[in-house]
Amino acid sequence: MNVGDALGHDCNLPAANSEFSGPSMVQLRVNGRSAQVNVGATLLDAAKAVGVHIPTLCYHPCLPAHAVCRMCLVELDGVVRPQPACITQAKAGDVVVTDSQDLQDFRKRNTQWLLARHPNACRDCEVNGACRLQQLIGEDSWDIDWGYVPRGSIHHPEHSLIDHTSPSIWRDLSKCVECGLCAEACGASGQQQYVIGFAERGSERLPVTVFDLPLADTPCISCGQCTLVCPVGALIETPHWHTVLHTLDTRMRVSAVQVAPATRVAIGEEFGMEPGTVSTGQMIHALRLLGFDYVFDTNFAADVTVMEEATELLERLKGTEHLPLFTSCCPGWVNWVEIHRSDLLPHLSTTKSPQQMHGALTKRTGFTAALGPEFANGKAEPYVVSVMPCTAKKDEAQRPGISGDIDHVLTTRELARMIKARGIAFAALSGEDSFDRPLGESTGAAQIFAASGGVMEALLRTAAHLRGHDKTLALEWHQLRGVAQGIKVAEVPGIGKVAVCNGIAAAQGMLATQTWRDAYVAIEVMACVGGCLGGGGEPKSIDPLILEKRMSATYALDKVAPKRCAHENPDVLALYATQLDGPNSVKARALLHTHYAARHSKRLLLMRFLDCLDRRDSHAAVRVLHPDALWSTASPFGDIRGADGIVDFIHRQLPVRNLGPEFARHLMESPADEDDLIVLTPSGQRCRFCLDIETLHEGRASRVVIKALFREIL
């Protein structure tokens, strides 16, 4: 398989130099060096093949090249004008010069023009030290010779440059270099969400959101692929690491961190280590040096997720309702369903993602109670942070019904910034450190959650065991593995046919017809190609083989794991035996399962309001209430009028909420029925709610709010 096939894009790679030159190869010279590349390779590929560096800003190996930045212009013998190396195909006999004085002068002027339209704010920029524009300037010591030219459109000032509305992604278009990579990653060549596109022409050209809406009001699924390819700081993950570092520095709270499986095979890239290097021990050591009291493995919760989801699948297989079962570990995919296809919500597994499950287990079970009387009595709870390869995990941590279980989410890149900020020599750290228990023990099945197809494979291992087929079925399902974008299928004896959608674009293609309804019993969807290994929060890379290298390391960890199935994890089995009464029990469903609602629906507004009640978050309640809202409580409190009155009631009259194991939430009786507004209160009452809603318009944005809320005790 060539790399283009592997990644699902047309990635033309240079071939290694050799003495043999077959008909599929072309030979040329780059800066006097003899180069040999495949037919169809570009001049940029040829330069890389012989170690010649050509600067680029708008190039990414797995997205179409458009030669926008012009940094890669080279001189070609016999051609009058310089040619962009990223799109010009190499031909036999070409003589290429990459560093003439004219080219150097042009690149300097081009960079100075970019700098004239770029804020001089490198010192406090989130990508300081990892910005390709900054690297270009530093390598050649170019000065800013021109005055500052403001960005934006004079004729269309509605194109906002700064947008911090999304819980996952920040936009600062004053830093944009117009490379177009974000639009490609979001568009036809990438996720096919089309949230970002270009507007205006010439110097006013900008990547804007659909209808110029704030990102939070668009159909953005928070996958973060735009942040992964942005060469500067125009698109970044919403930064949490500053707050986390400050909290750790104060030492005022007991802190716990969990780390996703994809992070340990990628974070080393931020410190010059080879892609695919497994740096689990160094990562744990660094987290302890940063000040975390407990370092846990998200893989523990992944094993619990497998137990819950496998049991849920087998329960559904007893009937025909809501099959196939869709996995729910990827928040980008869940966002897409809630935004575009609410009819699929009953098919989603109600099992929480490993991140949210681990947060609930850390704050609401025996671990917290064992921290001391204050924690056991619900007066305190630990400060819980997760390190994820995914920007959408920041969004997920704020979902109603599960918010508060994770205090902050860091991407892999953010953790690297924290480590660098504290001057920790990551690569020199000991690799012998290990995760804390009991929430750190895991199996190989949990590790492969990082890869596309891994969730399904882990699920099959345990589902086969629960059905008594584990002695006859293979442990490894290679037909579900790989980084190729598209759909992978396997027929599992005793269970049925399953599918894996590698990338949200592949899922959209499959769901465009109805054949999936009868073809499969279970379907895994990962929004990012490669799964979490290609997540929007992973280290940026222009290595076209990066996903293969990370995936190889992931499956190697599974291969050598002492236990490779979730049902073999002794700490998981002990958790079920002592605290949860078994998978899918009443206790397990209350703690480890979640609910869904279509965007802008009455059900979602109700869930958000109840979440504010549970967490006593009066500030968030304001966002879901009309200024003149009415709440008929069906209680001795009677009717409460006005958003201010309701907020005051939440803030002053409700008792202080319990924390830790004593914390209880309102639960929707139905996990996904859009019309079902029956709720189970923390005290066990069944209530039906009725809502009147209204749309408030705020400039170009709008929000749906509760105008009246009526509660009926059943």
Side-chain angles (χ1 to χ4, degrees):
M1 176 186 293
N2 63 42
V3 178
D5 293 336
L7 298 182
H9 300 294
D10 296 323
C11 300
N12 296 315
L13 296 178
N17 286 330
S18 66
E19 295 182 1
F20 174 74
S21 179
S24 62
M25 309 289 287
V26 296
Q27 195 161 4
L28 65 159
R29 297 185 70 80
V30 180
N31 291 354
R33 291 173 173 261
S34 178
Q36 208 166 263
V37 293
N38 293 321
V39 170
T42 65
L43 296 180
L44 185 59
D45 296 330
K48 289 181 179 180
V50 294
V52 172
H53 173 69
I54 300 177
T56 63
L57 276 178
C58 68
Y59 169 77
H60 195 281
C62 296
L63 292 173
H66 296 299
V68 175
C69 73
R70 315 305 282 179
M71 284 293 178
C72 70
L73 289 182
V74 297
E75 294 173 352
L76 198 56
D77 193 33
V79 178
V80 176
R81 294 180 179 276
Q83 299 298 305
C86 64
I87 61 172
T88 304
Q89 288 193 359
K91 300 187 298 298
D94 278 346
V95 177
V96 184
V97 174
T98 71
D99 65 341
S100 71
Q101 190 61 50
D102 285 346
L103 290 174
Q104 292 181 45
D105 291 343
F106 170 79
R107 288 174 188 145
K108 179 178 180 179
R109 291 193 302 273
N110 195 21
T111 304
Q112 288 175 336
W113 166 238
L114 291 175
L115 287 175
R117 308 171 70 225
H118 198 85
N120 187 15
C122 294
R123 184 175 58 185
D124 58 357
C125 180
E126 284 296 319
V127 300
N128 185 19
C131 169
R132 286 164 67 181
L133 178 61
Q134 188 183 51
Q135 289 166 1
L136 280 175
I137 300 163
E139 288 170 4
D140 293 282
S141 298
W142 286 327
D143 296 323
I144 304 175
D145 289 348
W146 299 349
Y148 181 66
V149 179
R151 288 299 306 266
S153 173
I154 298 173
H155 302 98
H156 295 279
E158 68 272 15
H159 299 323
S160 177
L161 297 180
I162 308 294
D163 178 9
H164 292 173
T165 59
S166 167
S168 299
I169 298 167
W170 278 10
R171 301 165 66 234
D172 183 354
L173 299 186
S174 68
K175 300 175 182 177
C176 179
V177 293
E178 303 161 34
C179 66
L181 292 176
C182 59
E184 289 288 354
C186 191
S189 302
Q191 301 292 72
Q192 297 183 16
Q193 299 307 295
Y194 305 101
V195 174
I196 301 174
F198 273 95
E200 313 311 329
R201 294 176 177 271
S203 62
E204 295 187 352
R205 189 170 184 257
L206 280 174
V208 300
T209 59
V210 59
F211 300 120
D212 273 315
L213 292 172
L215 197 58
D217 295 330
T218 70
C220 174
I221 62 173
S222 296
C223 70
Q225 289 298 304
C226 56
T227 72
L228 189 62
V229 299
C230 179
V232 291
L235 287 157
I236 62 169
E237 64 270 63
T238 301
H240 290 178
W241 71 274
H242 305 283
T243 302
V244 173
L245 200 56
H246 174 74
T247 304
L248 295 177
D249 286 346
T250 65
R251 301 286 180 165
M252 295 178 66
R253 297 182 66 182
V254 174
S255 59
V257 62
Q258 55 161 306
V259 189
T263 296
R264 68 206 64 184
V265 298
I267 190 169
E269 297 165 26
E270 293 279 351
F271 300 94
M273 301 168 77
E274 285 292 320
T277 299
V278 179
S279 51
T280 309
Q282 291 95 330
M283 177 185 65
I284 296 170
H285 194 166
L287 289 165
R288 296 196 194 284
L289 291 175
L290 287 170
F292 284 103
D293 297 307
Y294 296 92
V295 182
F296 292 133
D297 194 349
T298 307
N299 284 356
F300 173 84
D303 278 336
V304 182
T305 298
V306 171
M307 296 294 290
E308 292 296 317
E309 202 161 77
T311 304
E312 185 180 1
L313 172 62
L314 297 184
E315 284 296 318
R316 294 200 190 192
L317 285 173
K318 293 177 181 178
T320 57
E321 190 176 12
H322 304 323
L323 283 174
L325 174 77
F326 283 98
T327 62
S328 56
C329 293
C330 173
W333 154 241
V334 173
N335 285 340
W336 186 88
V337 173
E338 290 184 329
I339 293 169
H340 297 289
R341 290 291 300 270
S342 60
D343 61 301
L344 301 181
L345 290 175
H347 290 270
L348 283 177
S349 168
T350 61
T351 303
K352 289 180 181 177
S353 73
Q355 169 184 268
Q356 294 304 136
M357 193 175 283
H358 204 296
L361 291 170
T362 306
K363 287 195 174 186
R364 319 289 178 217
T365 62
F367 165 75
T368 296
L371 293 176
E374 193 175 17
F375 293 89
N377 296 332
K379 304 304 180 185
E381 64 182 9
Y383 176 65
V384 177
V385 175
S386 66
V387 182
M388 295 286 136
C390 173
T391 55
K393 289 294 181 183
K394 294 175 182 283
D395 177 304
E396 180 184 57
Q398 299 183 25
R399 290 179 63 87
I402 59 179
S403 63
D405 288 345
I406 301 293
D407 291 292
H408 284 102
V409 179
L410 303 175
T411 63
T412 306
R413 295 194 297 266
E414 283 183 281
L415 176 58
R417 289 176 206 144
M418 287 178 66
I419 294 170
K420 293 173 183 176
R422 283 291 180 259
I424 298 171
F426 184 88
L429 295 177
S430 167
E432 300 302 316
D433 215 336
S434 58
F435 290 108
D436 291 312
R437 294 182 68 172
L439 303 180
E441 178 71 10
S442 65
T443 69
Q447 177 58 42
I448 62 177
F449 261 55
S452 170
V455 173
M456 183 62 70
E457 187 172 345
L459 176 66
L460 293 177
R461 293 179 186 180
T462 291
H465 167 75
L466 296 177
R467 279 217 160 178
H469 298 311
D470 51 331
K471 304 301 182 188
T472 58
L473 291 181
L475 192 65
E476 298 179 355
W477 293 84
H478 290 274
Q479 57 269 58
L480 299 178
R481 298 181 177 183
V483 298
Q485 184 178 14
I487 300 172
K488 295 164 282 189
V489 177
E491 181 73 47
V492 186
I495 295 178
K497 185 181 287 187
V498 300
V500 170
C501 297
N502 188 13
I504 194 65
Q508 289 179 162
M510 181 187 73
L511 294 169
T513 68
Q514 297 298 311
T515 56
W516 59 272
R517 293 185 180 273
D518 299 318
Y520 309 109
V521 297
I523 301 172
E524 174 200 307
V525 180
M526 289 291 172
C528 299
V529 174
C532 299
L533 296 172
E538 287 283 74
K540 299 182 182 183
S541 176
I542 56 172
D543 181 353
L545 291 173
I546 193 65
L547 293 182
E548 289 184 330
K549 294 173 181 177
R550 292 173 183 169
M551 188 169 287
S552 177
T554 294
Y555 284 110
L557 288 172
D558 169 48
K559 195 80 172 178
V560 301
K563 295 178 174 61
R564 301 183 64 189
C565 298
H567 54 271
E568 298 172 344
N569 187 326
D571 286 352
V572 168
L573 297 179
L575 175 72
Y576 279 118
T578 61
Q579 299 183 59
L580 295 181
D581 298 340
N584 271 230
S585 67
V586 173
K587 288 183 178 179
R589 293 193 68 82
L591 188 68
L592 306 179
H593 289 249
T594 189
H595 309 104
Y596 305 108
R599 295 296 167 91
H600 309 302
S601 65
K602 290 183 177 181
R603 178 182 170 93
L604 179 60
L605 280 173
L606 175 61
M607 288 170 60
R608 290 176 61 191
F609 178 71
L610 295 177
D611 188 69
C612 295
L613 289 183
D614 293 337
R615 295 185 297 107
R616 308 298 191 262
D617 190 345
S618 55
H619 176 74
V622 173
R623 294 292 300 168
V624 300
L625 294 170
H626 190 281
D628 300 324
L630 165 68
W631 180 18
S632 181
T633 67
S635 76
F637 294 106
D639 294 349
I640 305 174
R641 298 183 181 277
D644 290 341
I646 297 172
V647 166
D648 185 72
F649 170 78
I650 296 172
H651 184 63
R652 298 180 185 277
Q653 294 185 261
L654 286 179
V656 176
R657 77 176 178 102
N658 287 320
L659 304 174
E662 298 298 315
F663 176 63
R665 299 181 188 270
H666 288 80
L667 299 174
M668 304 300 295
E669 185 171 72
S670 167
D673 186 341
E674 188 171 343
D675 298 321
D676 190 341
L677 301 184
I678 297 178
V679 173
L680 303 177
T681 70
S683 63
Q685 276 187 327
R686 288 180 76 240
C687 301
R688 179 185 287 113
F689 285 85
C690 180
L691 278 73
D692 292 337
I693 63 176
E694 189 170 309
T695 301
L696 293 181
H697 297 282
E698 301 165 328
R700 297 184 67 83
S702 62
R703 57 189 172 100
V704 181
V705 295
I706 297 172
K707 183 68 180 291
L709 179 67
F710 303 93
R711 177 172 174 261
E712 174 191 3
I713 299 175
L714 300 178

